Amino acid sequence: MAVIENDKVSRFPDAELKARAAWHYYVEGLTQERISEILGVGRIKVHRILSAAREEGVVQFRIRDSVVECVQLEERLKQRFGLSQAVVVPSAADRSNAPLMIGHAAAAYLADNVNAGDVIALGWGRTLKFAINELPRRPIARTTVVSMLGGLTHAQPLNPTESAWEFAEKIGAECYLLPVPVYADRPEQRDAFMSQRSVQDVVFRARRANIAVLSVGSFSNDSPIANYGFIKPSELEAAGAVGDILCHFIDAEGRIVDHEVNRRVCAYPLQDLSDIPTTILVSGGREKIAVMRAALANTKVSVLITDEDAAKGLLSR
């Protein structure tokens, strides 16, 4: 049933309208005036929709109701890529908010699906950082979090080691970190780092993980990996790279490109990801479509958590 007010007709049914309004207001942080413009209803109607969403329990600690179009995309993604589960959130009105919205959904998924005794191997990225921030603080017995990447020598909040530690703290888990930089200066130095007993112990623990939580990186201007100065995006793109997974740069088919930076990375081997029973890929936004498609082509992903823009892009071919 269409919603009509002041000669404006929304293209969404009532239940979906509530869910979309709740996502934009409570997760993305948009004003009611901006939501009015996006959904095609009056400001007074937006206020009433949000009030009804709270009264009816659509908004609790998370947004309960699914958006109809997102559910349809989820089913198509599962069929296309052989996923056991897909979660698709509405596209952000401001594209820069996509990691926040996807991270919110990832936090809800992890809160429901991490159980006692789980060993979680963790990647890194801005979207995963938002997910960890949103994750409720709840001790889960006998859990372990293992970072799959070396750390950044310049300490800052968006750091593989910080992400692993914060995740572990949220769920009361043991935490293991790779005690090496994410990129060595030379390939032979990388080999020396990775052969250390302490490093081999952490990699061994990651191999015992039953859950891997990963993201992917693009070459966009706000990409963390590009902005940290480790790499020259133009060189990697010339070599055929479309982005990175676990700081390994891959081509459109998901294969590691032949570039010296890939011989310097201190991280869990991509070829061994298939040994982990459940791999969760958390990423989205239009700029990530190519690298997400590449990761799905050559990595055994079980669960995909993304947004409408990326889902439609992944399904467009």
Side-chain angles (χ1 to χ4, degrees):
M1 179 178 68
V3 178
I4 304 175
E5 178 181 325
N6 297 334
D7 297 323
K8 291 183 178 181
V9 181
S10 172
R11 66 186 187 276
F12 304 115
D14 282 349
E16 183 168 352
L17 197 62
K18 289 174 189 171
R20 285 186 180 271
W23 272 100
H24 288 308
Y25 188 71
Y26 292 104
V27 180
E28 194 174 2
L30 300 186
T31 65
Q32 294 185 18
E33 182 175 7
R34 179 72 180 111
I35 296 168
S36 167
E37 296 170 359
I38 294 167
L39 299 182
V41 298
R43 282 177 58 188
I44 295 174
K45 183 67 175 181
V46 170
H47 180 76
R48 289 206 295 263
I49 289 169
L50 291 170
S51 296
R54 295 193 65 174
E55 290 169 6
E56 295 170 16
V58 174
V59 177
Q60 299 171 349
F61 289 104
R62 65 186 66 169
I63 298 167
R64 189 191 66 202
D65 285 4
S66 299
V67 176
V68 173
E69 186 175 5
C70 291
V71 173
Q72 294 170 343
L73 289 169
E74 289 168 0
E75 291 304 313
R76 292 176 62 196
L77 286 168
K78 285 162 64 176
Q79 293 175 14
R80 174 73 66 87
F81 298 104
L83 306 168
S84 62
Q85 195 162 353
V87 178
V88 177
V89 303
S91 295
D94 181 344
R95 288 171 57 184
S96 67
N97 287 332
L100 171 64
M101 297 182 73
I102 298 164
H104 180 92
Y109 183 88
L110 292 169
D112 287 342
N113 290 278
V114 173
N115 300 301
D118 282 341
V119 178
I120 303 136
L122 186 69
W124 84 306
R126 189 167 58 251
T127 307
L128 290 185
K129 176 69 174 175
F130 281 121
I132 294 164
N133 288 346
E134 292 288 319
L135 194 67
R137 191 176 297 277
R138 178 175 66 91
I140 304 175
R142 305 185 311 282
T143 48
T144 302
V145 174
V146 186
S147 178
M148 304 178 85
L149 295 155
L152 302 174
T153 54
H154 180 198
Q156 43 200 305
L158 189 54
N159 190 319
T161 54
E162 293 297 327
S163 294
W165 174 250
E166 289 171 12
F167 192 176
E169 190 179 31
K170 284 288 184 78
I171 63 173
E174 287 190 291
C175 184
Y176 292 88
L177 308 174
L178 274 176
V180 290
V182 68
Y183 287 110
D185 291 337
R186 299 179 304 278
E188 60 271 21
Q189 192 177 56
R190 178 264 177 204
D191 294 342
F193 284 152
M194 296 302 290
S195 66
Q196 292 177 15
R197 183 177 300 176
S198 59
V199 173
Q200 287 295 305
D201 176 66
V202 176
V203 173
F204 173 75
R205 292 178 184 278
R207 292 188 199 283
R208 296 174 62 191
N210 61 310
I211 300 172
V213 185
L214 311 174
S215 191
V216 291
S218 68
F219 294 122
S220 63
N221 291 334
D222 60 349
S223 167
I225 196 69
N227 286 331
Y228 280 132
F230 298 130
I231 57 145
K232 294 181 179 178
S234 58
E235 286 186 6
L236 283 155
E237 288 178 298
V242 294
D244 79 282
I245 180 168
L246 291 180
C247 291
H248 296 84
F249 292 90
I250 57 175
D251 66 15
E253 304 301 322
R255 299 168 301 206
I256 297 175
V257 299
D258 183 15
H259 191 282
E260 63 88 24
V261 73
N262 279 332
R263 294 185 282 275
R264 295 191 287 111
V265 62
C266 298
Y268 191 83
L270 291 191
Q271 64 269 23
D272 293 347
L273 284 173
S274 60
D275 295 332
I276 298 176
T278 299
T279 295
I280 304 169
L281 179 60
V282 181
S283 198
R286 295 175 191 171
E287 72 281 0
K288 297 283 187 72
I289 292 170
V291 67
M292 288 176 67
R293 183 181 286 125
L296 288 165
N298 207 27
T299 303
K300 190 186 73 173
V301 174
S302 312
V303 180
L304 175 63
I305 303 175
T306 190
D307 65 350
E308 284 179 295
D309 281 343
K312 290 175 181 177
L314 289 169
L315 292 165
S316 66
R317 190 167 71 177

